Amino acid sequence: MKKNKRTIWRGELTTTGKLARRGWLFMSPGFFWICFFLAIPCLVLVLVSFCQREAYGGIDFTFTGENYSRLMGFGGLLGWTPDYIMILGRSLLTAAITTFFCVILSYPIAFFIGSRQGNSKYVWLTLLIIPFWTNLVIRTYAWFLVLAPEMPPARFAAWLGLIDHGAALYPGTFAVYLGMVSTFLPFMALPLYASVEAMDWSLVQAAQDLYSRRTRVFRCAILPQTYPGLSIGIVLTFIPCMGMFVVPDMLGGAKYMLMGNLIQQQFGVSRDWPFGAAISFFLMTITLVALIIIRKKGLKHL
Amino acid sequence: MKKPGLLLVISSVGILLFLYLPLMAVAFFSVNSSKYGLVWKEFSFKWYVRMIQDPYILNAALNTLILAVISTAVATTLGTALAIGMENFPWGKRLKSFLDSILHLPVITPDIILAAALVVVFMFLRKLMSIFEPGLLTMTIGHITFQIAFVALVVRSRIASIGHNVEAAARDLYANNVYLLWHVTLPLLMPGIIAGAMLAFTLSLDDFVISFFTSGPKSVTLPLLIYASVRRGITPEIHALSTVILLLTVILVFTFERLTRIQNRAKNNPAKGRK
């Protein structure tokens, strides 16, 4: 739109310059809002991650890579410590395991809803959508009630000798995974369902007619067709999982720290913003890498 | 598709139970009259009565509502304008893909990073103006930032589904810009705008992380209140409050579903969907 040419656009005789000006008039408030409060702050965050912390929690703008070497475990009182790397590794592991369970649980429910007809389909779909919109804090603390010592799950575990009598099933790794999987399951199941709905069942039929084993039917006829939904589901599960801090904070107890908790701690009690920014930047990088990998893989399958 | 096997039915119902069991437990204990422990005593609504008499809860509810209404109003306006600007003008391919990635930025950024970025930007703004102290204003700005993108995406899909024939026809009949926007474009987009606004409203009610990072001592919202009371020890009033929020969510989801279904029907069969 360099030249100011006369043009006809959707029934209007106008010039390209006029159109561009009008278009920007519509876009600029929202566009600049996102730039000003998200895009630029993210860049500032990267900048801050190379700064130092002032004595009272402010930011000292002398550039250093200290925050990153600290994240990799150097520069502590005892030389090298694996503490932060452990947290990063645990975040990746938790996100991977949660995603895995979400995938396993999402397939049956996606196929089930896909097989329903008419109104009953909408009822089941709405049942899946409601937890998706329910407040995270409520959903997380609700597990306190289910896992409380008086309730059947904890009693059963005590009867099996897994925990002491009168103990609760939280806080701990098990409770964190329960909370994580139940939080992210709808994020996986809904896009997967959308893919199942668009599936061409004659391919599955053909595979069965040609005596494929069930695993082969799934791998060659179902998986490639559901890949678009699956990849969106993985993005929606894996990435927020890495930055999650509510669930591990409430259900994991003091010892169960993930990257999200570490960031929250730096911006909260520790008031070490440069270090928090460094962890955030690390998380951003992982997010981008994950997005790129999934996009590449998705193209291969199409 | 063939009929599902028994195993599929059982596993699906089991999975949904897994999602709903905790929520049902909250609703169950909210109407239990016993204060301590999770033992059923008798049915009573007394925690609901206590809840609406609690000044802290009322204050938090008011804050949540103010925050949700204002941020939704602003985000819906800006998001709709952004969607119209992006879709209804002949942008070049490169500009369009750049705008697209800016629009998707709030959707893919993990909310904790958005929160951290906002903390930093408010710190700088505070040095210029004191109104950026953590409080309702900073929370509203934070909410608007992620709401805009969701509103714009919903409205954009509506624009794509209605096409631009009606607009071109209006132009042929000498509609000017203002008339076209006010009497043609906006009424056509209304179902999408309402759906986007409801989505934004629900997102605002749901949000914990952004609020947690940007709130001040006087701007406690309901999710923050529940989180804080979990630390102090849960009281049955919190169960009652959570149940009310749950019911509200269910109503919002149903209305939203209804709207999008009407919209889809209009897409498939334009004659039927229009009033």
Side-chain angles (χ1 to χ4, degrees):
Chain A
M1 238 163 297
K2 280 159 203 125
K3 274 177 269 165
N4 202 5
K5 276 195 312 200
R6 286 187 152 248
T7 173
I8 294 177
W9 175 254
R10 298 191 182 169
E12 179 196 9
L13 180 64
T14 179
T15 62
T16 46
K18 261 190 194 165
L19 271 178
R21 232 174 298 139
R22 190 138 41 86
W24 273 107
L25 194 69
F26 274 111
M27 285 195 300
S28 49
F31 175 78
F32 287 116
W33 188 291
I34 294 178
C35 284
F36 192 73
F37 288 111
L38 181 60
I40 296 171
C42 280
L43 296 178
V44 174
L45 207 59
V46 176
L47 199 75
V48 167
S49 75
F50 288 101
C51 294
Q52 273 170 341
R53 173 179 182 249
E54 255 180 7
Y56 298 103
I59 300 164
D60 176 9
F61 286 92
T62 35
F63 286 88
T64 163
E66 198 187 282
N67 294 308
Y68 291 95
S69 65
R70 198 171 138 206
L71 192 60
M72 289 301 122
F74 298 103
L77 292 173
L78 305 161
W80 190 78
T81 55
D83 289 359
Y84 294 126
I85 292 182
M86 290 252 294
I87 292 174
L88 303 184
R90 191 187 295 142
S91 308
L92 276 170
L93 188 73
T94 308
I97 294 177
T98 305
T99 311
F100 174 75
F101 276 112
C102 285
V103 172
I104 298 234
L105 295 177
S106 290
Y107 266 103
I109 200 141
F111 278 112
F112 175 70
I113 297 177
S115 73
R116 300 282 92 186
Q117 299 294 327
N119 251 341
S120 123
K121 176 177 280 180
Y122 280 105
V123 172
W124 289 102
L125 201 57
T126 311
L127 277 178
L128 192 59
I129 290 171
I130 288 169
F132 184 86
W133 287 122
T134 307
N135 193 289
L136 180 61
V137 179
I138 295 178
R139 275 213 278 165
T140 310
Y141 106 79
W143 280 108
F144 284 14
L145 303 182
V146 177
L147 302 178
E150 300 94 324
M151 297 298 265
R155 284 197 178 168
F156 182 66
W159 181 75
L160 285 177
L162 296 172
I163 54 168
D164 296 334
H165 277 276
L169 279 166
Y170 66 91
T173 315
F174 175 69
V176 171
Y177 277 113
L178 272 183
M180 288 290 227
V181 173
S182 66
T183 300
F184 288 111
L185 186 59
F187 288 78
M188 179 68 80
L190 286 170
L192 199 60
Y193 158 75
S195 271
V196 167
E197 194 69 358
M199 245 172 80
D200 181 0
W201 282 93
S202 57
L203 288 174
V204 179
Q205 193 81 56
Q208 282 166 346
D209 286 349
L210 295 167
Y211 300 103
S212 289
R213 267 175 293 126
R214 305 184 88 168
T215 48
R216 187 99 197 267
V217 172
F218 180 78
R219 197 160 52 84
C220 299
I222 295 176
L223 188 62
Q225 289 201 68
T226 49
Y227 197 81
L230 189 65
S231 62
I232 295 174
I234 291 174
V235 168
L236 289 180
T237 308
F238 190 81
I239 290 173
C241 223
M242 298 278 310
M244 173 59 93
F245 91 94
V246 179
V247 174
D249 187 69
M250 288 168 79
L251 289 170
K255 276 187 191 162
Y256 205 94
M257 260 219 167
L258 298 182
M259 232 189 281
N261 306 67
L262 199 58
I263 296 175
Q264 190 260 322
Q265 199 184 53
Q266 304 312 315
F267 282 94
V269 282
S270 301
R271 281 193 74 78
D272 190 347
W273 292 7
F275 188 49
I279 311 161
S280 305
F281 181 58
F282 192 79
L283 181 58
M284 264 190 260
T285 317
I286 294 178
T287 306
L288 280 179
V289 171
L291 280 174
I292 290 167
I293 290 176
I294 282 167
R295 200 169 260 189
K296 276 226 173 105
K297 274 219 159 173
L299 285 179
K300 223 188 286 167
H301 275 266
L302 283 173
Chain B
M1 182 178 173
K2 61 177 184 175
K3 282 194 86 181
L6 189 65
L7 196 67
L8 192 63
V9 178
I10 292 172
S11 58
S12 307
V13 172
I15 291 162
L16 278 176
L17 265 182
F18 165 69
L19 290 178
Y20 277 91
L21 211 61
L23 304 179
M24 291 193 296
V26 171
F28 180 76
F29 285 112
S30 77
V31 288
N32 177 15
S33 72
S34 145
K35 182 164 174 98
Y36 299 104
L38 298 177
V39 185
W40 180 257
K41 210 163 137 199
E42 60 181 337
F43 183 88
S44 117
F45 274 125
K46 74 174 177 192
W47 304 116
Y48 288 86
V49 178
R50 292 268 179 89
M51 174 190 81
I52 53 171
Q53 288 166 346
D54 188 328
Y56 290 103
I57 292 180
L58 284 184
N59 184 37
L62 189 67
N63 279 337
T64 312
L65 209 63
I66 293 173
L67 176 64
V69 168
I70 295 179
S71 62
T72 303
V74 177
T76 308
T77 317
L78 298 189
T80 306
L82 184 61
I84 294 175
M86 280 176 80
E87 284 297 303
N88 283 358
F89 294 90
W91 303 117
K93 235 186 186 160
R94 284 172 97 188
L95 181 64
K96 200 152 196 189
S97 75
F98 170 70
L99 288 171
D100 232 32
S101 46
I102 287 285
L103 189 60
H104 282 98
L105 204 59
V107 183
I108 56 158
T109 313
D111 45 9
I112 197 154
I113 291 181
L114 171 58
L118 284 167
V119 167
V120 172
V121 81
F122 288 141
M123 188 268 298
F124 284 114
L125 286 174
R126 215 159 27 241
K127 288 185 179 163
L128 301 173
M129 271 179 285
S130 62
I131 52 164
F132 288 104
E133 282 300 322
L136 269 183
L137 178 74
T138 53
M139 291 165 94
T140 313
I141 292 174
H143 282 206
I144 292 169
T145 309
F146 63 81
Q147 284 170 322
I148 287 179
F150 285 95
V151 174
L153 288 170
V154 173
V155 175
R156 218 168 62 149
S157 73
R158 172 77 188 167
I159 295 177
S161 77
I162 60 172
H164 51 255
N165 290 342
V166 184
E167 257 172 68
R171 284 283 185 202
D172 288 347
L173 297 167
Y174 300 101
N176 62 18
N177 290 334
V178 178
Y179 190 92
L180 181 76
L181 181 69
W182 207 247
H183 292 277
V184 180
T185 312
L186 286 180
L188 276 176
L189 295 184
M190 211 28 100
I193 297 173
I194 293 171
M198 287 190 59
L199 184 62
F201 192 81
T202 323
L203 282 170
S204 171
L205 285 188
D206 268 357
D207 172 71
F208 172 74
V209 176
I210 312 284
S211 305
F212 186 69
F213 273 69
T214 52
S215 70
K218 281 185 185 160
S219 59
V220 176
T221 59
L222 289 176
L224 295 177
L225 182 98
I226 295 171
Y227 180 79
S229 63
V230 167
R231 307 255 112 173
R232 271 189 265 115
I234 314 165
T235 54
E237 284 105 316
I238 296 300
H239 299 333
L241 177 62
S242 303
T243 312
V244 171
I245 298 177
L246 269 172
L247 288 176
L248 197 68
T249 314
V250 172
I251 294 169
L252 277 170
V253 169
F254 266 104
T255 327
F256 183 77
E257 285 303 290
R258 262 267 132 90
L259 272 175
T260 41
R261 264 166 82 182
I262 292 168
Q263 211 176 321
N264 286 343
R265 218 180 296 149
K267 210 192 306 180
N268 299 334
N269 187 351
K272 239 184 183 175
R274 214 160 291 150
K275 285 181 279 187

